[in-house]
């Protein structure tokens, strides 16, 4: 009955793909983040790129434990192969830099997690690989590549689009109650907000559009 439909029920009828609903819900935040990061000139020199790597290191450090989480692997079986923290670490090593130790505790450590919230975070880090198709082109202009210094921006072997489809198919198939659904959206929003914190901490006081 339409009268008793919650906002979440309604949204699910209009857009059956959870990934697409998350995209719509976070569209504006992503645009602000994209503009904020690019305003930091991360690809104008290796020195600026080093700060970008620091930011990315924190982004992937936050979610690293999720890649080994049994409950999540049951939902997204190839999650361990989607891990990216070690690639960022190799990028530091390629450039002869020491991997910085993050000042903040990761968002997800070992132990219990809220699965819907974690799915929201994973949507953001996995989705960032789509934008990376654009970023790797910029990185190449300063001498970096998929095998030197910008490994974490490389696409999956099977291709970015296919890898994203596999992930979003798994994400869409998870059965969540309306309350859990709301936590997934909040998780995606929180994940983006957390990236703003990492941008500021890596680049210093920047003109963020938060
Ligand atoms: C640095 C500047 C960035 C630029 C220029 C950028 C650009 C883009 C572009 C062009 C897409 C769409 C690709 C496509 O549809 O094929 C995209 C998708 C996405 N990006 Fe970014 N991005 C940036 C940073 C980030 C960061 C730092 C994150 C999060 C850590 C992020 C998260 C996402 C997500 C979640 C999607 C998937 C949206 C969806 O289709 O559901 N992006 N980005």
């Amino acid at each position: 009955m339409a009268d008793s439909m919650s906002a979440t029920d309604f949204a699910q009828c209009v857009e059956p793909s959870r990934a697409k609903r998350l995209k719509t819900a976070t569209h504006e935040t992503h645009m602000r983040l994209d503009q904020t990061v690019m305003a930091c000139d991360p690809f104008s020199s290796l020195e600026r790129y080093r700060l970008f790597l620091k930011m990315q290191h924190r982004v992937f450090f936050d979610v690293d434990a999720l890649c080994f989480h049994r409950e999540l692997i049951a939902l997204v079986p190839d999650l361990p192969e989607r891990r990216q923290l070690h690639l960022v670490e190799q990028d530091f090593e390629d450039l002869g830099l020491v991997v910085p130790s993050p000042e903040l505790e990761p968002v997800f450590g070992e132990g219990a997690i809220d699965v819907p919230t974690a799915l929201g975070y994973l949507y953001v880090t996995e989705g960032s690989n789509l934008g990376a198709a654009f970023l790797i082109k910029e990185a190449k202009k300063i001498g970096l590549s998929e095998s030197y210094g910008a490994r974490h921006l490389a696409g999956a072997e099977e291709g970015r689009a296919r890898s994203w489809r596999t992930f979003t198919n798994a994400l869409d198939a998870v059965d969540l109650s309306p309350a859990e659904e709301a936590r997934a959206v909040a998780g995606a929003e929180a994940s983006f907000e957390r990236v703003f914190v990492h941008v500021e901490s890596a680049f210093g006081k920047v003109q963020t559009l938060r």
Side-chain angles (χ1 to χ4, degrees):
M1 215 161 69
D3 285 351
S4 61
M5 229 184 209
S6 71
T8 315
D9 290 340
F10 182 70
Q12 285 173 1
C13 289
V14 174
E15 176 45 76
S17 160
R18 172 170 298 123
K20 293 216 170 101
R21 293 197 299 274
L22 289 172
K23 177 178 183 162
T24 304
T26 58
H27 172 72
E28 197 261 339
T29 316
H30 175 265
M31 266 189 8
R32 281 188 292 115
L33 178 62
D34 159 352
Q35 286 167 19
T36 300
V37 175
M38 292 320 276
C40 294
D41 276 339
F43 304 103
S44 58
S45 66
L46 279 182
E47 190 46 40
R48 297 304 285 171
Y49 180 74
R50 183 181 66 77
L51 304 178
F52 174 74
L53 265 190
K54 193 171 162 189
M55 169 202 137
Q56 294 287 71
H57 185 253
R58 282 157 199 220
V59 170
F60 293 111
F61 177 69
D62 272 342
V63 296
D64 199 50
L66 298 182
C67 303
F68 306 105
H69 205 284
R70 214 175 316 145
E71 266 181 281
L72 290 171
I73 294 173
L75 303 172
V76 185
D78 63 357
L79 203 49
E81 292 104 84
R82 292 179 177 273
R83 184 170 179 250
Q84 275 178 278
L85 183 67
H86 64 298
L87 298 176
V88 184
E89 288 173 351
Q90 281 179 42
D91 287 337
F92 276 106
E93 282 160 27
D94 285 346
L95 299 173
L97 300 167
V98 176
V99 178
S101 26
E103 292 130 19
L104 299 171
E105 288 296 310
V107 172
F108 298 97
E110 283 171 24
I113 53 155
D114 180 61
V115 168
T117 304
L119 290 173
Y121 271 79
L122 287 176
Y123 160 77
V124 173
T125 44
E126 278 303 310
S128 74
N129 291 316
L130 295 181
F134 165 78
L135 303 184
I136 187 82
K137 289 189 188 141
E138 295 302 303
K140 284 181 176 172
K141 293 179 189 165
I142 51 170
L144 305 167
S145 71
E146 291 90 346
S147 54
Y148 175 74
R151 296 171 195 264
H152 79 284
L153 297 176
E157 241 167 67
E158 74 218 57
R160 291 182 204 270
R162 183 174 288 212
S163 169
W164 178 239
R165 235 180 357 258
T166 308
F167 174 75
T168 54
N169 284 345
L171 179 65
D172 289 350
V174 181
D175 196 16
L176 297 181
S177 71
E180 290 169 333
E181 188 72 35
R183 293 213 296 279
V185 175
E189 267 299 334
S191 174
F192 272 119
E193 289 306 327
R194 176 85 167 176
V195 182
F196 280 106
V197 172
H198 296 326
V199 174
E200 267 186 14
S201 121
F203 287 96
K205 199 74 199 146
V206 290
Q207 203 204 339
T208 58
L209 302 169
R210 290 168 87 180

